[in-house]
Amino acid sequence: MRLVFVVRWFIRVILVLIVGILAFYNFTMLFERYILKEETPTFFGLSFAVVATGSMEPEIGIHDVIVTAAQDSYGVNDIVTYYDSAQGISVTHRIVREEDGVFYTKGDANNAEDPSPVQVGQIVGKVVSVWKNAGAAVQFLQSPMGLFAVLAAGIVIWLVVDLSAGAWKKERAAKNETQEEEKKESQDD
C-alpha cells in the first residue's frame, strides 16, 4: 500500500513539473516576444529555433531544432544565429571570415556568402546543440493546442493513476475481508 502511495506521489510530481515548465517556458517566450519586443527570445540564456530552410545542410537540416547560447566572442567556423533586421528574420549560418570587427557568414549549402556583413550586436548566439527532426514536436508544444494537449494528457494520467489506486485499494480491502471471514469460519469450526 505504501508503494502505491509513493508511485502516485511521484507521477503527480512529474506531471506538475512538466506542465509547470512548459507553461513557464511559453509564458516567458510570449512575454519577451510581445511585451519586451525581443526578436529572438531566450530562456535562461538559451534560444531555441526550428530551422526552416536547408541552407546549413547536411549539418543542420530543415525541421531540426537548434539551441543557441550567447558567447563572449565568436570566430571563424562558428555556426551562429543572428538577427537580420533588413529581412526581419533570424538566420543561422557559419562565420567564414572576420574583417575589421565584422563577420561574414555563409550557409554550408549556399554557393556564396551572405550579402551583408554581421555586426557582433546582431548575433543572438552560437549553436551549441542540434536536435535532429525535432521541429514538428517543438512547434506543436509551443502552440496553444500543444499546451492544451499536454494539460489534457496530464489530467488523464492523473485520473488514471487515482482510479487505478482506488481500484487496487478496493481489491486489497476485499481480499483482506475475505481472509478475515475465512479465519472466523475456521475458528468457529
Side-chain angles (χ1 to χ4, degrees), residues 18-30:
I18 289 170
V19 170
I21 289 169
L22 284 172
F24 182 68
Y25 171 79
N26 281 337
F27 174 76
T28 302
M29 294 294 106
L30 291 170

Side-chain angles (χ1 to χ4, degrees), residues 97-104 117-120:
R97 64 188 171 98
E98 178 182 1
E99 289 180 13
D100 301 324
V102 296
F103 299 105
Y104 293 85
V118 177
Q119 305 291 327
V120 174

Side-chain angles (χ1 to χ4, degrees), residues 93-169:
H93 282 169
R94 187 180 305 275
I95 295 174
V96 292
R97 64 188 171 98
E98 178 182 1
E99 289 180 13
D100 301 324
V102 296
F103 299 105
Y104 293 85
T105 58
K106 175 183 167 298
D108 290 354
N110 294 350
N111 294 328
E113 288 181 358
D114 297 335
S116 302
V118 177
Q119 305 291 327
V120 174
Q122 290 176 266
I123 298 177
V124 175
K126 177 181 175 180
V127 174
V128 294
S129 183
V130 178
W131 302 345
K132 293 292 184 185
N133 299 312
V138 169
Q139 285 179 323
F140 176 71
L141 289 174
Q142 289 178 336
S143 72
M145 182 58 94
L147 188 56
F148 175 76
V150 169
L151 287 170
I155 291 169
V156 167
I157 292 170
W158 190 293
L159 291 173
V160 167
V161 167
D162 270 359
L163 292 174
S164 63
W168 185 83
K169 274 183 180 178

Side-chain angles (χ1 to χ4, degrees), residues 1-171:
M1 183 116 90
R2 179 85 175 134
L3 178 63
V4 172
F5 174 77
V6 170
V7 169
R8 277 181 29 200
W9 179 84
F10 181 75
I11 290 172
R12 285 178 176 170
V13 168
I14 296 299
L15 287 173
V16 168
L17 283 174
I18 289 170
V19 170
I21 289 169
L22 284 172
F24 182 68
Y25 171 79
N26 281 337
F27 174 76
T28 302
M29 294 294 106
L30 291 170
F31 181 78
E32 286 191 21
R33 179 160 299 189
Y34 297 109
I35 304 299
L36 300 180
K37 305 293 185 199
E38 292 286 333
E39 287 86 8
T40 311
T42 61
F43 187 69
F44 292 107
L46 300 174
S47 177
F48 300 83
V50 177
V51 177
T53 71
S55 67
M56 284 300 295
E57 289 185 342
E59 190 161 345
I60 302 172
I62 298 172
H63 303 300
D64 287 352
V65 171
I66 56 170
V67 181
T68 59
Q71 308 290 309
D72 292 332
S73 63
Y74 302 96
V76 173
N77 283 327
D78 285 347
I79 298 174
V80 297
T81 297
Y82 65 92
Y83 186 72
D84 183 343
S85 56
Q87 295 182 45
I89 59 171
S90 292
V91 177
T92 301
H93 282 169
R94 187 180 305 275
I95 295 174
V96 292
R97 64 188 171 98
E98 178 182 1
E99 289 180 13
D100 301 324
V102 296
F103 299 105
Y104 293 85
T105 58
K106 175 183 167 298
D108 290 354
N110 294 350
N111 294 328
E113 288 181 358
D114 297 335
S116 302
V118 177
Q119 305 291 327
V120 174
Q122 290 176 266
I123 298 177
V124 175
K126 177 181 175 180
V127 174
V128 294
S129 183
V130 178
W131 302 345
K132 293 292 184 185
N133 299 312
V138 169
Q139 285 179 323
F140 176 71
L141 289 174
Q142 289 178 336
S143 72
M145 182 58 94
L147 188 56
F148 175 76
V150 169
L151 287 170
I155 291 169
V156 167
I157 292 170
W158 190 293
L159 291 173
V160 167
V161 167
D162 270 359
L163 292 174
S164 63
W168 185 83
K169 274 183 180 178
K170 284 181 183 178
E171 182 182 313

